Amino acid sequence: MASVADGANAIVLGTLGDISSPLAIIGGNCALQGFDHEGNDLFWTVTGDNVHSLALCDFDGDGKKELLVGSEDFDIRVFKEDEIVAEMTETEIITSLCPMHGSRFGYALSNGTVGVYDRMARYWRIKSKNHAVSIHAFDLNSDGVPELITGWSNGKVDARSDRTGEVIFKDNFSSAVAGVVQGDYRMDGHTQLICCSVDGEIRGYLPGTAELRGSLSDTSVEQDLIRELSQRKQNLLLELRNYEENTKAGSSSPLKEAPGQRGIIPANTRLHTLTPPKDVPVDLHLKTFVGYRSSTQFHVFELTRQLPRFAMYALSGPDPAAEPLGHVNFVLAERAQRIVVWLSQNFLLPEDGNIPNAPFQVCFTSLRSGGRLCIKTKPSGEVAVNTDDIDLAGDIIQSMASFFAIEDLQVEADFPAYFEELRKVLAKVDEHHSVHQKLSADMADNSSLIRSLLVRAEDARLMRDMKAMKNRYMELYDLNKDLLNGYKIRCNNHTELLGNLRAVNQAIQRAGRLRVGKPKNQVITACRDAIRSNNINTLFRVMRAGTASSSS
């Protein structure tokens, strides 16, 4: 039996890396723990946010399995034991992960997106208005490669090619799908795909059965093609009618508009401020409807542009009085011109922006919070990033590491405001532990007293001393109320403790994201050891210098 202090949101069973014993790996409150069959804790590390999904997959093709972790911060992280070897950022919470063939794995998001990755490259993805409840890999058409099976909230089950995302099989339940698994359900030596609905309906599918072949018959394909062509025909007819109506309107009563604005309807136009929630590249899809004021059909023009990762930071002038106290410093063996190229690809800079190719300082203002960001270079190759946002600093370092193909990067960092808040959180953790111990001791004392009062009340009843028996039971009633109140306090204390433990785990993860490669893993390990030994000074020394050595 094992206890998981950080909660349990997801679990996966199997072998991980060079750890010989099979593990039950638990994902919880920003933490990952792995237990063997005896309950021994053989694996522990932290991740960026609450874990929602786990999977084991040979991600790098070395014959050993890595741990895939999907969390609330939209990231899929790949752990080689306790070392993060890859990170992929998605557009929503990752709700499900499953290994496919080789290094491929499937994923599902909370917004209805499902897809397949091969290592860090996304093969395909589709988005549905329904929610993907469960995903599973199963070779349904007996071609030697598993398909991605998805059970949806509207009761649909479909199987998609892991290479193209093409639907090769589909079925429908009368209620939402509860889960998709595989097993020898009929105990006849053949593995079936098993789907279960929330109403308890269970269906099993054998690979390559007549039922499956029937669903893939030419008739079904032809019917789908006829529907698609009919829809195209209707769209073309509507477009033709639109042209005819606009031609008539243009000849009889043209719309009076400003030069250069012919055909554009300015009425009822609303401009919305785009605010990406995270600093990730965003695909911007623009759809413009063009017609006359009396038009019922419009020409549609579509345009797609990608906003850079740090589009929410506007270029501004330097202001020494407002310079942030938080900063990271590191040495980058790159020419200043290359850093300018990185800036131009990751920030929205004016076309006539004059950033010198020599050592420079460039400043930005956050369009979300108004916070300041300054990036400075020196002739020695040292780079300083000034910001009070530790997450932003980590994002910038990870972006630079990816752009310049940096394998290892040691960083010195200090974020006074954030570290002070963390000190308060750590003090609250100690306080919650003390309260928990006191409440547990009080509960044990009260339990002993309850046993004593029950015996005394029963003795009074046998001796027909009703007054004494009534008094004992009144004491029991009062003691029971105290126990209930103590239990509520204990539950609230535990909830607050979990929240603070989450903040501590996130702080360790953030300190790691300020580094790259081996220094990143060393920081996470050293921070974890400092927490275990309750050495707060060492923890902050590691977060600042990247090492526990006091000489750094």
Side-chain angles (χ1 to χ4, degrees), residues 177-221:
V177 174
V180 179
V181 295
Q182 71 181 59
D184 186 2
Y185 185 72
R186 301 186 300 182
M187 294 184 290
D188 60 359
H190 297 91
T191 301
Q192 300 99 42
L193 176 70
I194 304 168
C195 301
C196 180
S197 75
V198 295
D199 288 343
E201 182 182 1
I202 298 175
R203 298 180 189 174
Y205 307 89
L206 277 171
T209 61
E211 177 186 355
L212 176 61
R213 288 194 293 271
S215 69
L216 299 175
S217 64
D218 293 338
T219 303
S220 177
V221 173

mmCIF file of all heavy atoms in Angstrom, residues 177-221:
data_model
loop_
_atom_site.group_PDB
_atom_site.id
_atom_site.type_symbol
_atom_site.label_atom_id
_atom_site.label_comp_id
_atom_site.label_asym_id
_atom_site.label_seq_id
_atom_site.Cartn_x
_atom_site.Cartn_y
_atom_site.Cartn_z
ATOM 1 N N VAL A 177 -20.003 7.542 -24.849
ATOM 2 C CA VAL A 177 -19.062 6.456 -24.595
ATOM 3 C C VAL A 177 -18.398 6.675 -23.241
ATOM 4 O O VAL A 177 -17.983 7.795 -22.907
ATOM 5 C CB VAL A 177 -17.997 6.389 -25.711
ATOM 6 C CG1 VAL A 177 -16.926 5.355 -25.386
ATOM 7 C CG2 VAL A 177 -18.661 6.067 -27.045
ATOM 8 N N ALA A 178 -18.310 5.603 -22.457
ATOM 9 C CA ALA A 178 -17.672 5.694 -21.132
ATOM 10 C C ALA A 178 -16.201 5.301 -21.193
ATOM 11 O O ALA A 178 -15.372 5.847 -20.470
ATOM 12 C CB ALA A 178 -18.405 4.808 -20.127
ATOM 13 N N GLY A 179 -15.850 4.340 -22.061
ATOM 14 C CA GLY A 179 -14.470 3.908 -22.155
ATOM 15 C C GLY A 179 -14.239 2.984 -23.327
ATOM 16 O O GLY A 179 -15.167 2.361 -23.849
ATOM 17 N N VAL A 180 -12.973 2.920 -23.766
ATOM 18 C CA VAL A 180 -12.554 2.032 -24.860
ATOM 19 C C VAL A 180 -11.327 1.263 -24.383
ATOM 20 O O VAL A 180 -10.320 1.869 -24.010
ATOM 21 C CB VAL A 180 -12.219 2.825 -26.136
ATOM 22 C CG1 VAL A 180 -11.757 1.887 -27.250
ATOM 23 C CG2 VAL A 180 -13.417 3.640 -26.601
ATOM 24 N N VAL A 181 -11.423 -0.057 -24.380
ATOM 25 C CA VAL A 181 -10.320 -0.913 -23.948
ATOM 26 C C VAL A 181 -10.227 -2.101 -24.901
ATOM 27 O O VAL A 181 -10.985 -2.195 -25.869
ATOM 28 C CB VAL A 181 -10.525 -1.418 -22.497
ATOM 29 C CG1 VAL A 181 -10.497 -0.259 -21.515
ATOM 30 C CG2 VAL A 181 -11.840 -2.177 -22.374
ATOM 31 N N GLN A 182 -9.306 -2.998 -24.617
ATOM 32 C CA GLN A 182 -9.218 -4.232 -25.385
ATOM 33 C C GLN A 182 -9.013 -5.396 -24.431
ATOM 34 O O GLN A 182 -8.483 -5.241 -23.336
ATOM 35 C CB GLN A 182 -8.089 -4.173 -26.403
ATOM 36 C CG GLN A 182 -6.687 -4.222 -25.806
ATOM 37 C CD GLN A 182 -5.628 -4.134 -26.869
ATOM 38 O OE1 GLN A 182 -5.556 -3.176 -27.618
ATOM 39 N NE2 GLN A 182 -4.767 -5.160 -26.935
ATOM 40 N N GLY A 183 -9.460 -6.590 -24.851
ATOM 41 C CA GLY A 183 -9.306 -7.765 -24.009
ATOM 42 C C GLY A 183 -10.035 -8.957 -24.607
ATOM 43 O O GLY A 183 -10.825 -8.826 -25.551
ATOM 44 N N ASP A 184 -9.762 -10.141 -24.063
ATOM 45 C CA ASP A 184 -10.429 -11.367 -24.506
ATOM 46 C C ASP A 184 -11.755 -11.464 -23.757
ATOM 47 O O ASP A 184 -11.920 -12.259 -22.828
ATOM 48 C CB ASP A 184 -9.532 -12.568 -24.216
ATOM 49 C CG ASP A 184 -10.100 -13.870 -24.787
ATOM 50 O OD1 ASP A 184 -11.170 -13.808 -25.425
ATOM 51 O OD2 ASP A 184 -9.495 -14.927 -24.561
ATOM 52 N N TYR A 185 -12.715 -10.672 -24.189
ATOM 53 C CA TYR A 185 -13.992 -10.537 -23.474
ATOM 54 C C TYR A 185 -14.778 -11.850 -23.487
ATOM 55 O O TYR A 185 -15.438 -12.203 -22.519
ATOM 56 C CB TYR A 185 -14.805 -9.417 -24.120
ATOM 57 C CG TYR A 185 -16.100 -9.084 -23.424
ATOM 58 C CD1 TYR A 185 -16.087 -8.421 -22.208
ATOM 59 C CD2 TYR A 185 -17.325 -9.415 -23.987
ATOM 60 C CE1 TYR A 185 -17.265 -8.092 -21.566
ATOM 61 C CE2 TYR A 185 -18.511 -9.105 -23.360
ATOM 62 C CZ TYR A 185 -18.472 -8.432 -22.141
ATOM 63 O OH TYR A 185 -19.643 -8.115 -21.493
ATOM 64 N N ARG A 186 -14.688 -12.598 -24.602
ATOM 65 C CA ARG A 186 -15.446 -13.850 -24.730
ATOM 66 C C ARG A 186 -14.646 -15.066 -24.249
ATOM 67 O O ARG A 186 -15.136 -16.186 -24.285
ATOM 68 C CB ARG A 186 -15.871 -14.059 -26.178
ATOM 69 C CG ARG A 186 -16.738 -12.935 -26.709
ATOM 70 C CD ARG A 186 -17.277 -13.234 -28.085
ATOM 71 N NE ARG A 186 -16.214 -13.429 -29.067
ATOM 72 C CZ ARG A 186 -16.426 -13.660 -30.370
ATOM 73 N NH1 ARG A 186 -17.677 -13.712 -30.813
ATOM 74 N NH2 ARG A 186 -15.427 -13.819 -31.198
ATOM 75 N N MET A 187 -13.388 -14.798 -23.823
ATOM 76 C CA MET A 187 -12.503 -15.861 -23.319
ATOM 77 C C MET A 187 -12.368 -16.999 -24.319
ATOM 78 O O MET A 187 -12.438 -18.183 -23.977
ATOM 79 C CB MET A 187 -12.995 -16.380 -21.963
ATOM 80 C CG MET A 187 -12.906 -15.337 -20.863
ATOM 81 S SD MET A 187 -13.355 -15.949 -19.230
ATOM 82 C CE MET A 187 -15.114 -16.176 -19.446
ATOM 83 N N ASP A 188 -12.165 -16.639 -25.608
ATOM 84 C CA ASP A 188 -11.983 -17.638 -26.653
ATOM 85 C C ASP A 188 -10.603 -17.554 -27.294
ATOM 86 O O ASP A 188 -10.356 -18.130 -28.356
ATOM 87 C CB ASP A 188 -13.058 -17.490 -27.728
ATOM 88 C CG ASP A 188 -13.028 -16.117 -28.399
ATOM 89 O OD1 ASP A 188 -12.180 -15.274 -28.000
ATOM 90 O OD2 ASP A 188 -13.839 -15.884 -29.312
ATOM 91 N N GLY A 189 -9.703 -16.803 -26.650
ATOM 92 C CA GLY A 189 -8.351 -16.677 -27.174
ATOM 93 C C GLY A 189 -8.165 -15.589 -28.199
ATOM 94 O O GLY A 189 -7.073 -15.426 -28.736
ATOM 95 N N HIS A 190 -9.188 -14.790 -28.485
ATOM 96 C CA HIS A 190 -9.102 -13.701 -29.458
ATOM 97 C C HIS A 190 -9.351 -12.369 -28.751
ATOM 98 O O HIS A 190 -10.317 -12.223 -28.006
ATOM 99 C CB HIS A 190 -10.126 -13.885 -30.582
ATOM 100 C CG HIS A 190 -9.896 -15.121 -31.392
ATOM 101 N ND1 HIS A 190 -10.486 -16.337 -31.089
ATOM 102 C CD2 HIS A 190 -9.121 -15.338 -32.493
ATOM 103 C CE1 HIS A 190 -10.104 -17.238 -31.961
ATOM 104 N NE2 HIS A 190 -9.272 -16.665 -32.830
ATOM 105 N N THR A 191 -8.466 -11.418 -29.017
ATOM 106 C CA THR A 191 -8.600 -10.099 -28.405
ATOM 107 C C THR A 191 -9.592 -9.251 -29.195
ATOM 108 O O THR A 191 -9.504 -9.166 -30.429
ATOM 109 C CB THR A 191 -7.237 -9.383 -28.351
ATOM 110 O OG1 THR A 191 -6.332 -10.179 -27.586
ATOM 111 C CG2 THR A 191 -7.382 -8.013 -27.695
ATOM 112 N N GLN A 192 -10.519 -8.645 -28.486
ATOM 113 C CA GLN A 192 -11.499 -7.754 -29.117
ATOM 114 C C GLN A 192 -11.292 -6.315 -28.653
ATOM 115 O O GLN A 192 -10.733 -6.069 -27.583
ATOM 116 C CB GLN A 192 -12.933 -8.174 -28.765
ATOM 117 C CG GLN A 192 -13.333 -9.566 -29.199
ATOM 118 C CD GLN A 192 -13.232 -10.556 -28.063
ATOM 119 O OE1 GLN A 192 -13.602 -10.265 -26.941
ATOM 120 N NE2 GLN A 192 -12.734 -11.745 -28.361
ATOM 121 N N LEU A 193 -11.736 -5.393 -29.487
ATOM 122 C CA LEU A 193 -11.885 -4.004 -29.067
ATOM 123 C C LEU A 193 -13.220 -3.904 -28.343
ATOM 124 O O LEU A 193 -14.251 -4.334 -28.859
ATOM 125 C CB LEU A 193 -11.876 -3.073 -30.278
ATOM 126 C CG LEU A 193 -12.119 -1.591 -29.985
ATOM 127 C CD1 LEU A 193 -10.935 -0.991 -29.253
ATOM 128 C CD2 LEU A 193 -12.391 -0.830 -31.277
ATOM 129 N N ILE A 194 -13.207 -3.359 -27.125
ATOM 130 C CA ILE A 194 -14.407 -3.319 -26.297
ATOM 131 C C ILE A 194 -14.758 -1.872 -25.995
ATOM 132 O O ILE A 194 -13.927 -1.111 -25.499
ATOM 133 C CB ILE A 194 -14.200 -4.103 -24.983
ATOM 134 C CG1 ILE A 194 -13.774 -5.539 -25.296
ATOM 135 C CG2 ILE A 194 -15.461 -4.079 -24.133
ATOM 136 C CD1 ILE A 194 -13.271 -6.292 -24.098
ATOM 137 N N CYS A 195 -15.993 -1.502 -26.326
ATOM 138 C CA CYS A 195 -16.477 -0.149 -26.074
ATOM 139 C C CYS A 195 -17.693 -0.224 -25.147
ATOM 140 O O CYS A 195 -18.556 -1.082 -25.332
ATOM 141 C CB CYS A 195 -16.867 0.560 -27.375
ATOM 142 S SG CYS A 195 -15.505 0.687 -28.554
ATOM 143 N N CYS A 196 -17.746 0.680 -24.192
ATOM 144 C CA CYS A 196 -18.839 0.686 -23.222
ATOM 145 C C CYS A 196 -19.426 2.092 -23.153
ATOM 146 O O CYS A 196 -18.686 3.087 -23.160
ATOM 147 C CB CYS A 196 -18.333 0.255 -21.853
ATOM 148 S SG CYS A 196 -19.608 0.223 -20.570
ATOM 149 N N SER A 197 -20.766 2.180 -23.089
ATOM 150 C CA SER A 197 -21.429 3.469 -22.989
ATOM 151 C C SER A 197 -21.782 3.758 -21.533
ATOM 152 O O SER A 197 -21.715 2.877 -20.671
ATOM 153 C CB SER A 197 -22.701 3.485 -23.840
ATOM 154 O OG SER A 197 -23.722 2.728 -23.204
ATOM 155 N N VAL A 198 -22.180 4.996 -21.258
ATOM 156 C CA VAL A 198 -22.533 5.372 -19.889
ATOM 157 C C VAL A 198 -23.810 4.674 -19.433
ATOM 158 O O VAL A 198 -24.076 4.587 -18.222
ATOM 159 C CB VAL A 198 -22.690 6.904 -19.765
ATOM 160 C CG1 VAL A 198 -21.361 7.601 -20.021
ATOM 161 C CG2 VAL A 198 -23.760 7.431 -20.717
ATOM 162 N N ASP A 199 -24.608 4.180 -20.380
ATOM 163 C CA ASP A 199 -25.819 3.436 -20.021
ATOM 164 C C ASP A 199 -25.550 1.950 -19.793
ATOM 165 O O ASP A 199 -26.489 1.179 -19.537
ATOM 166 C CB ASP A 199 -26.881 3.581 -21.130
ATOM 167 C CG ASP A 199 -27.488 4.965 -21.150
ATOM 168 O OD1 ASP A 199 -27.340 5.682 -20.137
ATOM 169 O OD2 ASP A 199 -28.105 5.331 -22.164
ATOM 170 N N GLY A 200 -24.282 1.547 -19.916
ATOM 171 C CA GLY A 200 -23.934 0.154 -19.659
ATOM 172 C C GLY A 200 -23.930 -0.726 -20.877
ATOM 173 O O GLY A 200 -23.697 -1.935 -20.768
ATOM 174 N N GLU A 201 -24.191 -0.189 -22.073
ATOM 175 C CA GLU A 201 -24.156 -1.002 -23.291
ATOM 176 C C GLU A 201 -22.712 -1.302 -23.660
ATOM 177 O O GLU A 201 -21.865 -0.405 -23.701
ATOM 178 C CB GLU A 201 -24.852 -0.265 -24.436
ATOM 179 C CG GLU A 201 -24.905 -1.078 -25.727
ATOM 180 C CD GLU A 201 -25.549 -0.308 -26.870
ATOM 181 O OE1 GLU A 201 -25.939 0.863 -26.662
ATOM 182 O OE2 GLU A 201 -25.668 -0.892 -27.969
ATOM 183 N N ILE A 202 -22.418 -2.556 -23.920
ATOM 184 C CA ILE A 202 -21.062 -2.990 -24.253
ATOM 185 C C ILE A 202 -21.072 -3.643 -25.632
ATOM 186 O O ILE A 202 -21.919 -4.492 -25.920
ATOM 187 C CB ILE A 202 -20.514 -3.985 -23.209
ATOM 188 C CG1 ILE A 202 -20.430 -3.330 -21.835
ATOM 189 C CG2 ILE A 202 -19.143 -4.501 -23.629
ATOM 190 C CD1 ILE A 202 -20.015 -4.271 -20.730
ATOM 191 N N ARG A 203 -20.124 -3.236 -26.480
ATOM 192 C CA ARG A 203 -19.968 -3.845 -27.805
ATOM 193 C C ARG A 203 -18.512 -4.242 -27.997
ATOM 194 O O ARG A 203 -17.600 -3.500 -27.617
ATOM 195 C CB ARG A 203 -20.388 -2.886 -28.918
ATOM 196 C CG ARG A 203 -21.857 -2.465 -28.867
ATOM 197 C CD ARG A 203 -22.199 -1.525 -30.005
ATOM 198 N NE ARG A 203 -23.529 -0.955 -29.835
ATOM 199 C CZ ARG A 203 -24.046 -0.021 -30.623
ATOM 200 N NH1 ARG A 203 -23.348 0.427 -31.668
ATOM 201 N NH2 ARG A 203 -25.259 0.459 -30.396
ATOM 202 N N GLY A 204 -18.327 -5.425 -28.586
ATOM 203 C CA GLY A 204 -16.984 -5.894 -28.891
ATOM 204 C C GLY A 204 -16.806 -6.026 -30.386
ATOM 205 O O GLY A 204 -17.731 -6.399 -31.110
ATOM 206 N N TYR A 205 -15.596 -5.725 -30.870
ATOM 207 C CA TYR A 205 -15.308 -5.765 -32.306
ATOM 208 C C TYR A 205 -14.045 -6.592 -32.523
ATOM 209 O O TYR A 205 -12.989 -6.306 -31.950
ATOM 210 C CB TYR A 205 -15.094 -4.350 -32.862
ATOM 211 C CG TYR A 205 -16.203 -3.381 -32.544
ATOM 212 C CD1 TYR A 205 -16.159 -2.624 -31.370
ATOM 213 C CD2 TYR A 205 -17.281 -3.216 -33.401
ATOM 214 C CE1 TYR A 205 -17.181 -1.727 -31.063
ATOM 215 C CE2 TYR A 205 -18.299 -2.327 -33.106
ATOM 216 C CZ TYR A 205 -18.248 -1.587 -31.928
ATOM 217 O OH TYR A 205 -19.249 -0.706 -31.630
ATOM 218 N N LEU A 206 -14.154 -7.615 -33.373
ATOM 219 C CA LEU A 206 -13.002 -8.422 -33.736
ATOM 220 C C LEU A 206 -12.294 -7.812 -34.941
ATOM 221 O O LEU A 206 -12.943 -7.290 -35.852
ATOM 222 C CB LEU A 206 -13.443 -9.848 -34.078
ATOM 223 C CG LEU A 206 -13.636 -10.806 -32.905
ATOM 224 C CD1 LEU A 206 -14.276 -12.096 -33.395
ATOM 225 C CD2 LEU A 206 -12.312 -11.100 -32.221
ATOM 226 N N PRO A 207 -10.967 -7.844 -34.981
ATOM 227 C CA PRO A 207 -10.242 -7.298 -36.141
ATOM 228 C C PRO A 207 -10.627 -8.026 -37.425
ATOM 229 O O PRO A 207 -10.704 -9.263 -37.445
ATOM 230 C CB PRO A 207 -8.774 -7.559 -35.792
ATOM 231 C CG PRO A 207 -8.748 -7.739 -34.318
ATOM 232 C CD PRO A 207 -10.062 -8.345 -33.941
ATOM 233 N N GLY A 208 -10.932 -7.253 -38.456
ATOM 234 C CA GLY A 208 -11.170 -7.828 -39.772
ATOM 235 C C GLY A 208 -12.424 -8.663 -39.888
ATOM 236 O O GLY A 208 -12.515 -9.501 -40.782
ATOM 237 N N THR A 209 -13.422 -8.451 -39.018
ATOM 238 C CA THR A 209 -14.654 -9.227 -39.090
ATOM 239 C C THR A 209 -15.497 -8.785 -40.270
ATOM 240 O O THR A 209 -15.278 -7.732 -40.877
ATOM 241 C CB THR A 209 -15.464 -9.063 -37.803
ATOM 242 O OG1 THR A 209 -15.801 -7.686 -37.653
ATOM 243 C CG2 THR A 209 -14.684 -9.538 -36.595
ATOM 244 N N ALA A 210 -16.517 -9.606 -40.585
ATOM 245 C CA ALA A 210 -17.434 -9.270 -41.678
ATOM 246 C C ALA A 210 -18.148 -7.964 -41.386
ATOM 247 O O ALA A 210 -18.426 -7.175 -42.289
ATOM 248 C CB ALA A 210 -18.437 -10.408 -41.864
ATOM 249 N N GLU A 211 -18.430 -7.736 -40.097
ATOM 250 C CA GLU A 211 -19.110 -6.488 -39.721
ATOM 251 C C GLU A 211 -18.271 -5.278 -40.085
ATOM 252 O O GLU A 211 -18.756 -4.293 -40.633
ATOM 253 C CB GLU A 211 -19.385 -6.497 -38.211
ATOM 254 C CG GLU A 211 -20.037 -5.210 -37.709
ATOM 255 C CD GLU A 211 -20.150 -5.189 -36.197
ATOM 256 O OE1 GLU A 211 -19.808 -6.197 -35.559
ATOM 257 O OE2 GLU A 211 -20.584 -4.149 -35.666
ATOM 258 N N LEU A 212 -16.959 -5.400 -39.818
ATOM 259 C CA LEU A 212 -16.068 -4.298 -40.140
ATOM 260 C C LEU A 212 -15.941 -4.117 -41.642
ATOM 261 O O LEU A 212 -16.005 -3.006 -42.151
ATOM 262 C CB LEU A 212 -14.686 -4.550 -39.526
ATOM 263 C CG LEU A 212 -13.602 -3.516 -39.862
ATOM 264 C CD1 LEU A 212 -14.013 -2.152 -39.369
ATOM 265 C CD2 LEU A 212 -12.271 -3.930 -39.279
ATOM 266 N N ARG A 213 -15.768 -5.245 -42.372
ATOM 267 C CA ARG A 213 -15.639 -5.135 -43.824
ATOM 268 C C ARG A 213 -16.895 -4.545 -44.443
ATOM 269 O O ARG A 213 -16.842 -3.786 -45.406
ATOM 270 C CB ARG A 213 -15.346 -6.519 -44.415
ATOM 271 C CG ARG A 213 -13.937 -7.018 -44.120
ATOM 272 C CD ARG A 213 -13.593 -8.210 -44.989
ATOM 273 N NE ARG A 213 -14.405 -9.358 -44.661
ATOM 274 C CZ ARG A 213 -14.091 -10.261 -43.755
ATOM 275 N NH1 ARG A 213 -12.968 -10.133 -43.059
ATOM 276 N NH2 ARG A 213 -14.872 -11.302 -43.519
ATOM 277 N N GLY A 214 -18.064 -4.892 -43.855
ATOM 278 C CA GLY A 214 -19.306 -4.334 -44.364
ATOM 279 C C GLY A 214 -19.350 -2.830 -44.199
ATOM 280 O O GLY A 214 -19.839 -2.109 -45.066
ATOM 281 N N SER A 215 -18.815 -2.367 -43.063
ATOM 282 C CA SER A 215 -18.849 -0.922 -42.818
ATOM 283 C C SER A 215 -17.925 -0.171 -43.742
ATOM 284 O O SER A 215 -18.033 1.036 -43.903
ATOM 285 C CB SER A 215 -18.467 -0.639 -41.362
ATOM 286 O OG SER A 215 -17.089 -0.933 -41.166
ATOM 287 N N LEU A 216 -16.969 -0.906 -44.338
ATOM 288 C CA LEU A 216 -16.035 -0.275 -45.258
ATOM 289 C C LEU A 216 -16.349 -0.611 -46.713
ATOM 290 O O LEU A 216 -15.501 -0.495 -47.583
ATOM 291 C CB LEU A 216 -14.602 -0.739 -44.932
ATOM 292 C CG LEU A 216 -14.088 -0.407 -43.533
ATOM 293 C CD1 LEU A 216 -12.726 -1.025 -43.313
ATOM 294 C CD2 LEU A 216 -14.033 1.084 -43.327
ATOM 295 N N SER A 217 -17.553 -1.054 -46.957
ATOM 296 C CA SER A 217 -17.918 -1.486 -48.310
ATOM 297 C C SER A 217 -17.919 -0.321 -49.284
ATOM 298 O O SER A 217 -17.976 0.840 -48.904
ATOM 299 C CB SER A 217 -19.313 -2.123 -48.280
ATOM 300 O OG SER A 217 -20.264 -1.150 -47.904
ATOM 301 N N ASP A 218 -17.866 -0.692 -50.574
ATOM 302 C CA ASP A 218 -17.847 0.337 -51.610
ATOM 303 C C ASP A 218 -19.110 1.185 -51.578
ATOM 304 O O ASP A 218 -19.092 2.374 -51.886
ATOM 305 C CB ASP A 218 -17.696 -0.318 -52.987
ATOM 306 C CG ASP A 218 -16.326 -0.978 -53.154
ATOM 307 O OD1 ASP A 218 -15.404 -0.574 -52.416
ATOM 308 O OD2 ASP A 218 -16.205 -1.878 -54.000
ATOM 309 N N THR A 219 -20.231 0.550 -51.201
ATOM 310 C CA THR A 219 -21.489 1.294 -51.147
ATOM 311 C C THR A 219 -21.392 2.451 -50.182
ATOM 312 O O THR A 219 -21.824 3.584 -50.481
ATOM 313 C CB THR A 219 -22.639 0.358 -50.729
ATOM 314 O OG1 THR A 219 -22.703 -0.723 -51.646
ATOM 315 C CG2 THR A 219 -23.956 1.108 -50.707
ATOM 316 N N SER A 220 -20.823 2.194 -49.001
ATOM 317 C CA SER A 220 -20.685 3.246 -48.004
ATOM 318 C C SER A 220 -19.797 4.368 -48.523
ATOM 319 O O SER A 220 -20.097 5.549 -48.352
ATOM 320 C CB SER A 220 -20.110 2.670 -46.707
ATOM 321 O OG SER A 220 -19.900 3.685 -45.769
ATOM 322 N N VAL A 221 -18.694 3.995 -49.192
ATOM 323 C CA VAL A 221 -17.779 5.002 -49.729
ATOM 324 C C VAL A 221 -18.478 5.834 -50.797
ATOM 325 O O VAL A 221 -18.345 7.072 -50.842
ATOM 326 C CB VAL A 221 -16.515 4.325 -50.297
ATOM 327 C CG1 VAL A 221 -15.634 5.342 -51.007
ATOM 328 C CG2 VAL A 221 -15.746 3.624 -49.188
#
